[in-house]
Amino acid sequence: MVKAAYVHIPFCEYICHYCDFNKIFIQNQPVELYLDYLQTEIVRVMQTHDKQELDTIFIGGGTPTALNEAQLTQLMTTISRHLLPSNKNIEFTVEANPGDLSYEKMRLLKSFGVNRFSIGVQSFEDRLLEKIGRVHRKNDVLRTVEDAKKAGFDNLSIDLMFGLPGQTAEDFERTLDLALALDVQHFSAYSLIIEPKTVFYNLVQKGRLPLPPQEEEARMYELLMSRMEQAGFNQYEISNFSLPFMESLHNLTYWNNEEYFGFGAGAHGYVNGMREVNAGPLKKYMALIDESGSPITTRHKVTEAERMEEELFLGLRKTAGVSKQVFKQKFGQELTDVFKSPINEQKQKGLLEEDESSIFLSVQGRLLGNEVFQSFIGLS
């Protein structure tokens, strides 16, 4: 049963220097035509599924709020008709940039049932925002959060980044001070990862990107965990913190290794045991829908061994870890039998802990999560 849907809007007003998501400058693009094809994809998929089963919808990008009000109305009408359940309240999130989320757009989105924003703040240091290619500034964030509250939103998430070029732990602490003063319900905080085909990747290749040393980045992460705990936020996943009962249901779908729809150019989905990837370029996405009725370019049937591995390296992102009981229910085998060797190895390193009900990362393990995850791949 598929309980989550992701919808991708690839258009942006500008391109951030670190971003490797499927995106394109919105100027002179066939936005309305893309939204027509997106509707076609959604309608065809949902003909064989029940939208009433959905518990969460997430519209990401790109920058969904780069769309104008008429385009947003077109998009939201499609989602309201073909994805949004009519018999229950669900978590309905839109990814937003502080610079282009106007009060009018907020009210429009709320009228269609959107009840959560994920706001791409990244930093409250204007000089760092400029370095990473963001065009909003600190005051834009303050206005956006204030307007969202006025518009009736009481489930707001803020994205932060650390390990940025030229960033110090003191910079990050000032950002945390301002972020925690905003009275929002959720934070996602990620270290900068240099991805191929980005501006930052090219600068690194040329030796022109001054990144903080690993020790300073680790200090920022430790500071993050400490400050969030002091403020009453629960670290329920390596990079995510929430007030009680305000966890992101959509992201938990991924970490719980559950299935989800992926709609739009470049979107990924996981349906009926198949991991699927849509064409990324707009022309190819639309052409495939015309030619075959589906924009999917890659399908992979997930084997039982792969499912077990995914259960581990996705589930261990959660601070609660991987449940032994749930693993046994899903796979009919004991977790500690299937992965006995890597579990013992990572426990000896002090990166993994175990109790009667689950295995989970130690605090030190959260700093070295990728090393732990890698140890579970190719062994089951």
Side-chain angles (χ1 to χ4, degrees), residues 20-297:
D20 72 330
F21 294 124
N22 189 48
K23 75 279 185 187
I24 188 171
F25 281 114
I26 194 169
Q27 286 79 11
N28 302 316
Q29 295 298 326
V31 178
E32 292 83 2
L33 182 61
Y34 172 77
L35 295 176
D36 287 339
Y37 275 88
L38 178 63
Q39 175 177 265
T40 298
E41 180 194 7
I42 291 172
V43 168
R44 288 178 178 173
V45 170
M46 296 309 292
Q47 285 174 346
T48 57
H49 294 86
D50 184 1
K51 71 176 184 176
Q52 302 302 127
E53 295 175 349
L54 292 178
D55 291 333
T56 168
I57 297 172
F58 191 105
I59 305 177
T63 312
T65 50
L67 272 56
N68 63 36
E69 290 179 43
Q71 292 162 347
L72 280 174
T73 298
Q74 182 181 352
L75 169 65
M76 299 308 297
T77 299
T78 291
I79 291 174
S80 179
R81 289 176 178 171
H82 306 293
L83 283 181
L84 191 64
S86 56
N87 65 350
K88 60 181 175 181
N89 293 322
I90 71 168
E91 180 188 271
F92 190 175
T93 304
V94 171
E95 210 168 53
N97 277 346
D100 51 35
L101 180 57
S102 67
Y103 182 77
E104 291 72 25
K105 288 181 182 180
M106 293 179 189
R107 294 297 300 169
L108 187 157
L109 292 168
K110 188 172 180 61
S111 72
F112 280 98
V114 173
N115 51 30
R116 184 176 185 271
F117 284 128
S118 176
I119 305 171
V121 174
Q122 317 314 353
S123 175
F124 285 93
E125 300 281 333
D126 286 352
R127 64 179 178 80
L128 292 178
L129 289 169
E130 185 174 358
K131 280 186 178 181
I132 64 177
R134 304 288 285 187
V135 298
H136 76 265
R137 295 297 179 257
K138 177 181 76 173
N139 288 337
D140 295 318
V141 178
L142 302 180
R143 175 195 58 78
T144 297
V145 172
E146 181 181 356
D147 283 352
K149 292 178 180 179
K150 286 181 181 177
F153 288 88
D154 57 7
N155 191 355
L156 301 175
S157 178
I158 282 180
D159 287 354
L160 301 174
M161 295 181 72
F162 58 94
L164 299 174
Q167 186 182 38
T168 65
E170 289 71 28
D171 290 329
F172 190 53
E173 186 162 24
R174 284 193 296 271
T175 279
L176 290 174
D177 287 340
L178 284 166
L180 289 168
L182 288 177
D183 189 28
V184 301
Q185 293 72 37
H186 187 281
F187 292 96
S188 297
Y190 301 92
S191 64
L192 174 67
I193 297 175
I194 306 299
E195 301 283 3
K197 300 180 181 179
T198 64
V199 172
F200 275 176
Y201 181 82
N202 293 333
L203 289 175
V204 166
Q205 297 299 102
K206 297 174 182 177
R208 293 171 49 196
L209 194 68
L211 297 172
Q214 287 186 343
E215 297 79 6
E216 185 79 346
E217 184 176 318
R219 185 180 162 205
M220 294 182 206
Y221 185 57
E222 290 167 344
L223 184 64
L224 169 71
M225 291 190 289
S226 173
R227 290 297 303 279
M228 288 292 165
E229 183 178 9
Q230 291 169 13
F233 284 80
N234 173 47
Q235 184 179 13
Y236 68 100
E237 190 266 348
I238 287 178
S239 301
N240 284 265
F241 306 79
S242 78
L243 293 176
F245 310 110
M246 302 301 286
E247 296 86 354
S248 167
L249 298 181
H250 190 84
N251 287 343
L252 281 169
T253 299
Y254 304 142
W255 302 321
N256 288 331
N257 199 21
E258 296 170 348
E259 296 192 344
Y260 55 92
F261 296 115
F263 297 113
H268 292 232
Y270 183 25
V271 180
N272 296 329
M274 302 285 291
R275 292 210 177 267
E276 304 168 339
V277 182
N278 283 356
L282 261 60
K283 287 184 178 179
K284 186 173 183 181
Y285 169 81
M286 294 187 288
L288 284 174
I289 291 176
D290 282 335
E291 293 165 8
S292 65
S294 171
I296 295 172
T297 58

Side-chain angles (χ1 to χ4, degrees), residues 308-341:
M308 289 191 286
E309 291 171 0
E310 290 173 354
E311 192 79 10
L312 267 292
F313 66 74
L314 291 172
L316 282 173
R317 292 193 61 90
K318 299 177 295 180
T319 51
V322 179
S323 164
K324 297 177 182 178
Q325 181 180 359
V326 170
F327 189 93
K328 180 70 176 292
Q329 289 172 346
K330 283 188 174 182
F331 305 108
Q333 300 183 63
E334 298 291 345
L335 167 62
T336 48
D337 289 341
V338 178
F339 294 105
K340 181 178 180 180
S341 177

